[in-house]
Each structure stands twice: as C-alpha cells, then as structure tokens.
Amino acid sequence: MRLTTRGRYAVTAMLDLALHAQDRPVSLAEISERQTISLSYLEQLFSRLRQSGLVASVRGPGGGYRLVESSANIWVADIIDAVNESVDTTNCQGRGDCQSGSICLTHHLWEDLSQQIHNFLSSISLADLVAKRNVQDIAHRQVTQLLTLDENVRANAC
Amino acid sequence: MRLTTRGRYAVTAMLDLALHAQDRPVSLAEISERQTISLSYLEQLFSRLRQSGLVASVRGPGGGYRLVESSANIWVADIIDAVNESVDTTNCQGRGDCQSGSICLTHHLWEDLSQQIHNFLSSISLADLVAKRNVQDIAHRQVTQLLTLDENVRANAC
DNA sequence: CTAATACCCGAGTATTTTAGTCAACTAATA
DNA sequence: TATTAGTTGACTAAAATACTCGGGTATTAG
Ligand code: FES
Ligand code: FES
C-alpha cells in the first residue's frame, strides 16, 4: 500500500474546493496559496481528478475547477483512487501469485486489511469532512492568514 | 503510511516461525527457502525483530530463531512496528504541523484512518493466522514443494 | 581442538517511487 | 487582443526501498 503526499494533497485540494467553490469555480492558484501546495503539482493531480470525472474545469479568466457532484456524493476513497494511489496492501495486486506464481502465506491478511481501509475511506464523504467543526476552524484560519499576509504585502508596496 | 515488502516479509517470516518452530529453533536459511525471501534481507529484518524482543536467537549449528512469546500473544501490529514500518498515515507523524507549523485540513481524517488500521492489525495474533485453514494449506504446499525439489536435485546428482 | 554452522553487523548499491519543475500550448473572456 | 487559467508531457532531484557483500563472532558436533 502506498498512501503518501499525493493522496493527501488530492483530498486536501478537493476539500478546499468543497469549502470554497460554492457558486464560482476556484482556481488552482487559490488552492495552491491556501493549502501551500505547489501549483504545478496541483495541475498534475487535477488532470487525473478531471479524467476520473470528479471535477470539471472552466477555462479563461475567472475560471477554475468545480465539483461535478454534490460533496455528499464524493467519497474520500474515490479521490485517492483517482490519483492512482492504490489502497491495496497486497504485494500481488490481488492476483495471489507473489510467491513465484503461487499464493503466499499472508495474502489473505493483506486482502482483509485492504478491505477494511477501503470500507473506512468509502464511508466518508467530502460533505462529512466539511461538516466537522475542526475543519471549519482550520479553513477559517487559512483564509484570515492569507488576508493578513495580503495587507502586509500592500503595506510594503507603499 | 507505508506498508511495503518489508512489513509483509516480516509478518510472513514470523508466521513461518510460528508454524515450524514448535520445538527446535528455525534457521533463516530455512525460512528463506520456504518463503523465497533473500537470506541477507531476512538477517536485516530479524535483527530488528530481535531488538524488539519478538524473537530470540540460538547460535551455532542447529541454531536459529524462536518466538519469545506464545504466538497467541504476538500481534501483527507489533511485527510491523518492529521493522520500522509505521502505520501512521498522517504527513506530520501526528504532530499536527504539516502546513508550515499549523495543522492542515485533513489531519484528523488521517489520524482516524491510522487508528482504524492499527486497531485492525492489533486485533490479529500470529495464532489467529496459524489457525486459518488457507494458511495451513499454503504452508503444507510450501513444504511438499521443497521436498519434491530436493528429490529432483538428488536425482540429478546421481 | 577445530571445522562447520548460523547468527551478527555495517557499509554499499541498484532500482523505484515520489515530489516537484519547466516549457510550450489551447481555450475563454474582459 | 492581452490576459487568465487550464492542459500536457517531459524532465529532474531526492528519498526510500530492496536488496547485496564481506567480514565478523558464538556455539557445538565430531
Ligand atoms: S500478497 Fe498476494 S500472493 Fe502474496
Ligand atoms: S497531516 Fe498532520 S498536520 Fe497535516
């Protein structure tokens, strides 16, 4: 199994979208700023998210991305799948052939574990995350932090 | 989170020990043969397993390793911890500081997931695995396969 | 006593994966 | 028509993984 920065970034970015793309599309530059994720890296991730039908893009000025479905219908597991982070913990990708063609001693254990992880991540929607108090608090902090930063920049410019 | 070949090998090798080290110690060479894991790599893994107090070694001819505790008291989570594969899925190792010192949007999600995985792996002992029918079948196959191989070698030698 | 066995340990290396960059392009719009 | 912002592919640096190698040391069977 691999669950690394890629999958975490993807879920974080999608959550940012759920929080901020209420009426207008949200640009990757915005997400990049709020979540401190490299813009170019986000582009890579959203390319996959779009291909998986989770987000739709709007080009041109004022453009950006928006969720295709309601956040209540988007599951964390879908997002991680979309960016190619398998939640599969077997060595054989489920084929059962990792000991020179035969099944190994622990195959079933990893299969069960994978199922557990998948069930858990499939039980949580973006809407569930948005509803959490701590998520709202963090989102609020991220916005005000940027506003303060902005003021400082303006002050320095004068 | 990383759950890779290292953790899988460690659990497999420990299960092999639980299956075969009933009265006598089992050498790494045996495990290497049965589980098709590189001997040198096994030495590395068992160094850590020994330091964690999961196995004890017996040097010299006829030596090998044995479980320190009964297999019913060894949990899969312990083994994975011992070989330094953290089951932690947060980016911050639980510190809550991955967004330049502050907590990120999805920290709690990964914390919950880590807990789930840990609970699952802590609920399964080596004895549980040994008791499974499919594990016994595979173990049986591994032994008979080696015996056949042995006969062939002997036949070729004549 | 000694040779063989099997653990012990540290250093080194090839490969793979990840995280991130760069540059050139296209579509939309103000 | 200039600017914004998505689209794409190739490329790179760094890290982690999965090993290997070589020389140890303790133990014991003969
Ligand atoms: S993990 Fe599937 S056969 Fe070994
Ligand atoms: S994962 Fe812990 S703060 Fe981001």
Side-chain angles (χ1 to χ4, degrees):
Chain A
M1 156 157 181
R2 49 211 143 106
L3 185 50
T4 62
T5 313
R6 186 154 81 230
R8 275 190 295 263
Y9 277 177
V11 175
T12 305
M14 287 290 282
L15 186 51
D16 186 277
L17 221 55
L19 285 161
H20 299 282
Q22 301 291 8
D23 35 5
R24 69 198 164 99
V26 163
S27 73
L28 294 188
E30 273 182 77
I31 302 180
S32 165
E33 213 178 17
R34 268 194 299 265
Q35 309 303 333
T36 50
I37 304 175
S38 138
L39 176 59
S40 303
Y41 202 39
L42 274 178
E43 287 176 344
Q44 262 185 53
L45 298 180
F46 272 78
S47 166
R48 305 207 211 191
L49 292 170
R50 192 174 54 89
Q51 278 163 32
S52 301
L54 292 175
V55 299
S57 62
V58 181
R59 291 179 142 200
Y65 286 93
R66 57 180 184 74
L67 299 179
V68 167
E69 298 214 55
S70 135
S71 60
N73 288 325
I74 300 180
W75 309 97
V76 174
D78 299 336
I79 301 172
I80 293 179
D81 284 350
V83 295
N84 248 8
E85 287 220 306
S86 168
V87 120
D88 183 13
T89 56
T90 62
N91 187 31
C92 59
Q93 274 80 260
R95 290 189 307 270
D97 61 356
C98 88
Q99 193 177 19
S100 42
S102 304
I103 197 167
C104 73
L105 266 184
T106 47
H107 176 86
H108 293 92
L109 171 65
W110 310 124
E111 221 169 36
D112 289 350
L113 175 60
S114 306
Q115 193 59 53
Q116 289 264 331
I117 296 175
H118 200 267
N119 284 350
F120 177 74
L121 293 178
S122 290
S123 73
I124 299 178
S125 69
L126 277 186
D128 293 335
L129 293 177
V130 168
K132 283 189 196 280
R133 181 63 201 276
N134 56 54
V135 168
Q136 291 173 359
D137 290 348
I138 297 168
H140 181 252
R141 189 207 70 210
Q142 290 175 338
V143 170
T144 50
Q145 252 178 12
L146 281 185
L147 288 178
T148 327
L149 205 68
D150 238 36
E151 276 167 26
N152 289 343
V153 169
R154 248 177 251 135
N156 284 336
C158 294
Chain B
M1 155 156 182
R2 48 211 144 105
L3 183 50
T4 61
T5 313
R6 187 154 79 229
R8 275 189 296 262
Y9 276 179
V11 176
T12 304
M14 288 291 281
L15 185 51
D16 186 278
L17 221 55
L19 284 161
H20 297 105
Q22 300 293 7
D23 35 5
R24 67 194 166 104
V26 163
S27 73
L28 294 189
E30 273 182 76
I31 301 180
S32 165
E33 213 178 16
R34 267 195 299 265
Q35 308 305 332
T36 51
I37 304 175
S38 136
L39 176 59
S40 304
Y41 202 41
L42 273 178
E43 286 178 344
Q44 263 185 49
L45 297 180
F46 272 78
S47 167
R48 307 210 210 189
L49 292 170
R50 191 174 53 88
Q51 278 162 30
S52 301
L54 292 176
V55 298
S57 62
V58 180
R59 291 180 143 203
Y65 286 93
R66 57 180 183 76
L67 300 179
V68 166
E69 298 214 56
S70 135
S71 61
N73 288 327
I74 300 179
W75 309 97
V76 174
D78 299 336
I79 301 171
I80 292 179
D81 284 351
V83 294
N84 249 6
E85 287 220 309
S86 166
V87 120
D88 183 13
T89 56
T90 63
N91 188 30
C92 58
Q93 273 80 260
R95 290 188 307 269
D97 61 355
C98 88
Q99 193 176 18
S100 43
S102 305
I103 197 168
C104 74
L105 265 184
T106 47
H107 176 88
H108 292 92
L109 171 65
W110 310 124
E111 221 169 35
D112 289 351
L113 175 60
S114 305
Q115 193 60 52
Q116 288 264 332
I117 296 175
H118 201 267
N119 283 351
F120 178 75
L121 293 178
S122 290
S123 73
I124 299 178
S125 69
L126 277 187
D128 292 336
L129 293 178
V130 168
K132 283 191 195 279
R133 182 61 202 276
N134 57 53
V135 169
Q136 291 174 359
D137 290 347
I138 297 167
H140 181 252
R141 188 207 69 209
Q142 291 176 337
V143 170
T144 50
Q145 252 179 11
L146 282 185
L147 288 179
T148 327
L149 206 67
D150 237 38
E151 276 167 28
N152 289 344
V153 169
R154 249 177 249 134
N156 285 338
C158 294

